[in-house]
Amino acid sequence: MFVRFLTAALLCATGFAPPVTAGAQYPLKLQNCGVDLTFDQAPDSAVTLGQAATEILYSLGLAEKVTATSVWFTEVLPEFRDTNAGIERLADNDPSFESVVARKPGLVAAQYEWHVGPQGIVATREQFADVGIPTYVLPADCWHKDNASGSDGTRSTMFEMQSVYAGVNELGRIFDVPERAEALVAQLQAREAAASDKAKALNLQDASAVFWFSSAEMDVDPYVAGRKGPPGYLMAKLGLRNIVESDEEWPAISWETIARANPSIIVIARMDRRRYEADDHEKKIAFLKSDPVTRQMDAVENDRIVILDAHAMDPSIRNIAALETLAAALPVLGLR
């Protein structure tokens, strides 16, 4: 993975980058999360496992190729509401292997390796390959990340938006629309730069945060953001110190530990998923304000609680919107 992008960077630096408008060259060979893929032509259809993959394909103008979706945290992006309403949703969460195969997709595009990886909860990549269906996992879920360690994987280096852009560009090449991918990445990079400048202008010096995604049960250790995932990237951009020091993507940390760290703000995930009681952001807020430990934190006493779409806390094109949202929300909280 690193060698491929280093090569691309060198090509750009020396002026030998391929023309933006050039179509994909088939057979197209890719290495994707440790798996070698070859496409003799663009797939005629796709089933998506994960909202991030779905919204990338929609953003690339490929909705007509998407025959079914699954694994949703929040409402689809507003501009795709009508389109998405006409596409079958196999499941809000994890679809069955049989339901995916029944669609006979030319590609299964997955957001998370745990859906189609070695321990794939839907199926392994080999199982899909055995029935002639190639699988593609968004690189952001395996780029410098070990999904065999920790409940949601462990990162060895800080998440970077480049891993999301790599997924956009590779899906653009797979479906023979590389120019659309280039345009989308350029648009996202411009927004990222603008949002980063706005975040930097906050000039926070001693503010900290914790991002609470959900909890297996309401009063047990919550799943909070590790220091190297997308929320870690957001906090770094915003000048916030993550009070969680784990490299796991979403470690479970006790409320007593969080209360001792006393974060300046608490960012909680809002989602439509209802796998756990704590998926409901209103129940999260009620817990924070009533629990004898959490209600004493400065962030709770001073109502420094920010609500953010859950999907924006996982690797996706929505990470940019999250940076924009937080940069706009923080100035009124009186942080320093």
Side-chain angles (χ1 to χ4, degrees):
M1 184 70 75
F2 175 75
V3 171
R4 186 170 73 250
F5 282 95
L6 177 60
T7 303
L10 289 172
L11 286 171
C12 291
T14 53
F16 291 101
V20 170
T21 54
Q25 300 296 311
Y26 297 100
L28 174 64
K29 296 182 181 295
L30 296 172
Q31 188 183 61
N32 173 239
C33 293
V35 174
D36 292 324
L37 299 175
T38 299
F39 296 92
D40 293 325
Q41 59 187 11
D44 62 352
S45 63
V47 167
T48 54
L49 308 179
Q51 188 167 353
T54 307
E55 291 186 343
I56 288 176
L57 293 180
Y58 289 173
S59 297
L60 292 175
L62 295 167
E64 77 280 0
K65 296 266 191 177
V66 181
T67 58
T69 70
S70 59
V71 192
W72 288 84
F73 285 114
T74 61
E75 286 288 327
V76 71
L77 286 168
E79 59 266 37
F80 303 124
R81 193 167 293 152
D82 291 343
T83 297
N84 191 60
I87 296 176
E88 182 181 2
R89 181 178 296 196
L90 297 179
D92 289 339
N93 294 309
D94 316 317
S96 69
F97 176 59
E98 292 77 12
S99 69
V100 177
V101 172
R103 304 301 302 183
K104 299 180 180 178
L107 178 73
V108 168
Q111 178 174 352
Y112 303 112
E113 196 171 46
W114 73 282
H115 277 132
V116 298
Q119 308 298 325
I121 193 170
V122 176
T124 64
R125 301 184 79 164
E126 290 77 10
Q127 285 175 293
F128 277 113
D130 287 345
V131 294
I133 299 174
T135 54
Y136 178 83
V137 179
L138 293 182
D141 195 51
C142 56
W143 190 316
H144 302 303
K145 184 181 177 211
D146 177 9
N147 285 311
S149 173
S151 60
D152 291 288
T154 301
R155 291 188 183 271
S156 58
T157 62
M158 177 68 82
F159 163 83
E160 52 187 329
M161 282 304 299
Q162 192 61 33
S163 63
V164 174
Y165 301 150
V168 173
N169 278 321
E170 289 187 339
L171 284 171
R173 293 169 64 200
I174 290 170
F175 283 96
D176 199 14
V177 290
E179 72 288 350
R180 299 182 197 172
E182 295 271 359
L184 177 58
V185 168
Q187 180 188 74
L188 291 168
Q189 287 176 323
R191 287 177 58 196
E192 181 183 13
S196 295
D197 288 344
K198 191 171 183 179
K200 192 181 300 180
L202 296 174
N203 196 30
L204 297 180
Q205 302 296 317
D206 189 32
S208 58
V210 64
F211 281 52
W212 179 15
F213 193 86
S214 190
S215 305
E217 294 182 26
M218 203 69 233
D219 57 352
V220 302
D221 297 349
Y223 297 120
V224 294
R227 61 178 180 170
K228 293 179 178 174
Y233 155 84
L234 295 173
M235 284 184 264
K237 288 287 184 181
L238 292 160
L240 293 167
R241 175 175 55 82
N242 190 353
I243 57 109
V244 177
E245 296 183 349
S246 172
D247 291 345
E248 287 189 37
E249 192 86 327
W250 292 103
I253 305 293
S254 74
W255 281 115
E256 288 76 14
T257 299
I258 295 170
R260 278 195 297 273
N262 198 23
S264 307
I265 66 168
I266 299 173
V267 181
I268 63 175
R270 173 180 52 205
M271 67 187 85
D272 298 325
R273 189 190 75 170
R274 289 295 181 266
R275 178 172 285 175
Y276 306 124
E277 185 181 4
D279 287 350
D280 186 333
H281 74 278
E282 292 183 346
K283 292 187 176 180
K284 289 192 184 81
I285 293 174
F287 173 83
L288 288 171
K289 293 184 176 180
S290 62
D291 182 81
V293 173
T294 61
R295 70 189 184 195
Q296 298 182 49
M297 290 191 288
D298 287 349
V300 178
E301 289 185 337
N302 294 287
D303 201 23
R304 293 197 294 262
I305 300 172
V306 180
I307 301 169
L308 190 65
D309 279 346
H311 185 32
M313 295 188 185
D314 265 348
S316 69
I317 58 175
R318 292 209 191 190
N319 296 143
I320 303 302
L323 186 58
E324 294 167 336
T325 298
L326 292 170
L330 294 186
V332 301
L333 298 181
L335 302 177
R336 295 183 178 179

